[in-house]
Amino acid sequence: MAQRYQLLIRDRHGFERTVPLTRSVTLGRQSLCDVVLSDNMISRNHLRLELRDEIWWAEDLQTTHGCFYKGQQLGREAWEPGTPLRLADGAYTLTLQSLDQTSSELHLQAILETAQLLAQEVDLEDLLEQSMDKLLSISGTFRGFLMLLENGELTTRVQRNLGQELEGSIQLSLSSVHKVFETGDPVWILNVADEHHLMNQHSIQRLELKTILCLPLVLQGRRLGVVYLDSRKPITEPPDRETFEAIVALCAIAIERTRLSEENLRSHVLATVGQVASSIIHDFKNGLFVLRGHADLLELSTEDHKIRHHCRKILECVDRLTHLSQDVLDFAKVREPNRETVDLRVFLDAILEPVAPRAAELGVQLRTEGPTCLVKLDPAQFTRVMENLMANALDATTDMSGEIVVSWSQVTGGVQIRVRDRGRGIPRKVIKRIFEPFFSYGKKKGTGLGMATVKKIVEEHGGSLEFLSEEGSGTEVVITLPEHPITGTFKVSDESTGGHRALGSEGV
């Protein structure tokens, strides 16, 4: 029976993860450590674990907040399996666990643990996070990312211990990662030193990577995405390749199952909205029309301030319910846009002009940037899109001075419209639900159909919608519309390219 070890890491919030221990490792806050611990109480290089003569030694690396073992501050001690070791006053608790298992037992356990992902009822974002952690743990690597095919492009959905610019952080070029996805042929390098054709590459010498695993996520011959993993040290006891590829395949099944489940749920919601709209909304609006008429008559027929006050309250509620009813009807309809050729500069300025007074009251400057650009769209529908986006941007900047910038530019095959604010930003968990019907965030009087309607209209135009947001740093909404045939050519005026102005002032 082979003696194996793993490290159980528990943070101050109770979250646990395990890391296989097959060699000496360094733990700390900086990204160059073998195991990265992100708590601010942890030093850049905090703890060294070293295996010598079948004994694990733990050594504090002269840290500010220290390590504690058996109630005493740690210097360098032999670490007994099962005895906890505390870092930085409880920021993390580490436990060394011994695993006396054969190779086949370990392979079976890894497959069974991964198969549990199939039985879980979690959203896609959580499943991707769990899949990434599972693949890192089983492979013995410490960095990586997972991409999924979305709207015809590979999009990074989760990553570990890598910078924002993947191209400069990984050993393979992103073109090589795309090649793995396109061909289905994995990259399996357990020790770069054995791959002589790679040793002269500057990126390999710079990043000092030793292990590279890049595999496609494939289900029934259909490629869903790709997973990339690497390590700065060779994996002394690497996973069996066939077993690991089976585990990656299980992750692909779990991802597709969860994605289909979410799509089915959304379709069910849309069908329900359609049924409600077709059966009661028209009668509901008729009732609201009668209610408004009587409230108007009552307000006009009396001088009693108290009665007039109550009438205005009734009319406010009627307006809100009427707006909600119209949102439901618009959302339930599937219709081809009635496209007209518009100049984006003129079109967007006209929509934003009425918003300027409210923005001024909030201390927010509205600014537009972009060239004269002809595009075909449905003006009525797209007015609703921009009104919803501007309302959200202004709500996000309430009690915050700043600016909202609406910009547009020509891109390959179409045009992009961006709405950027410097408001509160949107939490990551909320972004996942932002287009969900009847979901509202940060609005006391929101109907929950605004962003769902925006997405529907953009998609009816054949376009796509993307949210870029971070709490405390504002939000940017990116609308990409494909080029639609226009009489003549899809043109941009050279002389006006790059023009910008603040609403209500002369163009710069």
Side-chain angles (χ1 to χ4, degrees):
M1 303 280 281
Q3 184 73 31
R4 295 170 180 261
Y5 298 91
Q6 71 177 12
L7 181 64
L8 176 65
I9 304 174
R10 187 175 189 273
D11 67 18
R12 65 171 81 246
H13 306 293
F15 178 78
E16 293 184 351
R17 62 178 169 128
T18 57
V19 176
L21 286 179
T22 58
R23 53 178 173 76
S24 301
V25 296
T26 300
L27 296 84
R29 199 175 72 248
Q30 71 168 337
S31 60
L32 295 178
C33 291
D34 299 309
V35 179
V36 178
L37 305 175
S38 57
D39 195 289
N40 289 331
M41 296 283 285
I42 299 297
S43 298
R44 291 173 59 80
N45 293 285
H46 200 99
L47 180 70
R48 174 74 175 171
L49 301 180
E50 185 177 6
L51 180 61
R52 283 195 175 183
D53 301 325
E54 300 301 321
I55 297 176
W56 281 97
W57 293 82
E59 179 183 1
D60 182 280
L61 300 178
Q62 299 181 348
T63 59
T64 302
H65 298 287
C67 306
F68 300 88
Y69 181 65
K70 294 184 177 180
Q72 301 294 324
Q73 187 157 356
L74 178 72
R76 178 180 168 84
E77 299 281 348
W79 193 8
E80 299 174 7
T83 305
L85 192 158
R86 290 190 306 112
L87 307 186
D89 196 26
Y92 292 92
T93 301
L94 311 181
T95 305
L96 180 65
Q97 299 177 331
S98 61
L99 303 172
D100 293 323
Q101 294 177 298
T102 64
S103 178
S104 59
E105 287 174 330
L106 287 170
H107 293 163
L108 179 59
Q109 179 183 344
I111 290 175
L112 291 176
E113 288 178 356
T114 308
Q116 291 176 0
L117 297 175
L118 293 169
Q120 296 181 6
E121 291 295 334
V122 297
D123 62 27
L124 182 60
E125 196 73 27
D126 289 337
L127 177 68
L128 295 174
E129 297 279 350
Q130 292 181 34
S131 299
M132 189 78 253
D133 289 337
K134 187 70 64 180
L135 294 173
L136 286 169
S137 175
I138 293 171
S139 66
T141 54
F142 294 97
R143 310 189 316 165
F145 60 86
L146 190 152
M147 287 180 158
L148 291 183
L149 183 65
E150 297 178 345
N151 298 321
E153 295 183 358
L154 281 176
T155 304
T156 304
R157 293 298 302 268
V158 61
Q159 66 179 54
R160 290 288 184 274
N161 303 327
L162 290 166
Q164 293 296 319
E165 296 296 330
L166 291 182
E167 186 73 57
S169 303
I170 64 174
Q171 180 160 344
L172 293 180
S173 65
L174 283 182
S175 61
S176 298
V177 173
H178 281 73
K179 185 177 180 181
V180 169
F181 171 78
E182 292 165 0
T183 64
D185 297 327
V187 172
W188 187 270
I189 301 173
L190 297 177
N191 191 344
V192 172
D194 298 332
E195 306 289 335
H196 301 294
H197 65 286
L198 295 177
M199 290 304 295
N200 293 328
Q201 292 187 15
H202 175 70
S203 61
I204 291 177
Q205 297 173 4
R206 176 174 55 84
L207 297 173
E208 300 178 348
L209 296 176
K210 300 297 187 294
T211 301
I212 314 166
L213 308 178
C214 188
L215 299 93
L217 292 163
V218 182
L219 179 61
Q220 296 180 337
R222 184 165 57 90
R223 289 183 287 276
L224 310 178
V226 64
V227 60
Y228 171 93
L229 309 163
D230 70 30
S231 175
R232 289 186 176 85
K233 296 184 179 180
I235 303 175
T236 55
E237 297 185 38
D240 174 72
R241 179 167 177 171
E242 290 185 358
T243 301
F244 193 74
E245 288 181 346
I247 289 170
V248 172
L250 284 174
C251 289
I253 294 172
I255 290 169
E256 184 67 0
R257 171 189 173 276
T258 302
R259 189 153 60 177
L260 288 174
S261 177
E262 291 186 355
E263 289 176 358
N264 288 338
L265 177 61
R266 184 173 185 270
S267 297
H268 178 72
V269 171
L270 295 182
T272 302
V273 171
Q275 292 172 3
V276 171
S278 61
S279 61
I280 68 170
I281 293 298
H282 285 292
D283 290 338
F284 185 67
K285 288 185 69 176
N286 290 336
L288 290 175
F289 179 76
V290 174
L291 185 59
R292 166 177 279 284
H294 285 282
D296 281 334
L297 288 174
L298 183 59
E299 184 181 14
L300 292 173
S301 64
T302 181
E303 296 296 329
D304 189 311
H305 294 292
K306 190 174 183 180
I307 294 177
R308 292 174 68 89
H309 169 75
H310 289 304
C311 287
R312 284 191 293 272
K313 289 295 182 183
I314 292 173
L315 290 171
E316 288 177 5
C317 289
V318 168
D319 287 340
R320 181 169 178 270
L321 291 174
T322 300
H323 181 66
L324 174 60
S325 301
Q326 190 60 47
D327 277 348
V328 172
L329 284 174
D330 290 342
F331 185 70
K333 293 176 183 177
V334 177
R335 56 191 177 190
E336 178 68 21
N338 183 20
R339 288 182 170 87
E340 298 178 16
T341 301
V342 300
D343 182 329
L344 272 181
R345 178 193 289 268
V346 177
F347 176 70
L348 293 176
D349 279 352
I351 294 174
L352 300 181
E353 197 74 47
V355 183
R358 184 191 170 197
E361 291 177 4
L362 297 173
V364 177
Q365 181 186 10
L366 297 184
R367 189 158 56 89
T368 60
E369 295 179 350
T372 297
C373 183
L374 299 182
V375 63
K376 273 201 168 185
L377 50 76
D378 186 320
Q381 290 188 39
F382 230 81
T383 296
R384 296 204 64 197
V385 168
M386 296 307 301
E387 287 175 346
N388 272 298
L389 294 182
M390 291 305 301
N392 289 343
L394 286 172
D395 285 338
T397 53
T398 301
D399 302 325
M400 301 176 70
S401 60
E403 67 176 1
I404 298 173
V405 180
V406 179
S407 61
W408 57 93
S409 61
Q410 189 178 17
V411 296
T412 302
V415 67
Q416 252 182 16
I417 303 172
R418 295 173 177 264
V419 179
R420 184 178 75 250
D421 67 65
R422 296 180 180 175
R424 295 184 296 270
I426 304 174
R428 188 177 180 183
K429 290 284 186 181
V430 174
I431 290 179
K432 296 187 301 182
R433 303 186 60 193
I434 203 74
F435 301 118
E436 187 178 306
F438 302 112
F439 175 78
S440 183
Y441 171 73
K443 286 187 175 183
K444 295 181 180 179
K445 297 183 179 181
T447 64
L449 280 174
M451 289 313 304
T453 302
V454 166
K455 186 173 188 292
K456 178 174 178 289
I457 292 173
V458 171
E459 289 179 345
E460 286 174 347
H461 281 73
S464 62
L465 193 63
E466 183 181 9
F467 259 78
L468 307 173
S469 186
E470 185 176 341
E471 284 189 90
S473 300
T475 300
E476 183 173 28
V477 183
V478 183
I479 299 172
T480 304
L481 295 176
E483 181 176 349
H484 199 79
I486 295 177
T487 303
T489 59
F490 186 84
K491 58 183 179 180
V492 177
S493 173
D494 293 335
E495 62 186 21
S496 62
T497 300
H500 59 87
R501 72 184 188 94
L503 252 65
S505 64
E506 294 298 324
V508 176

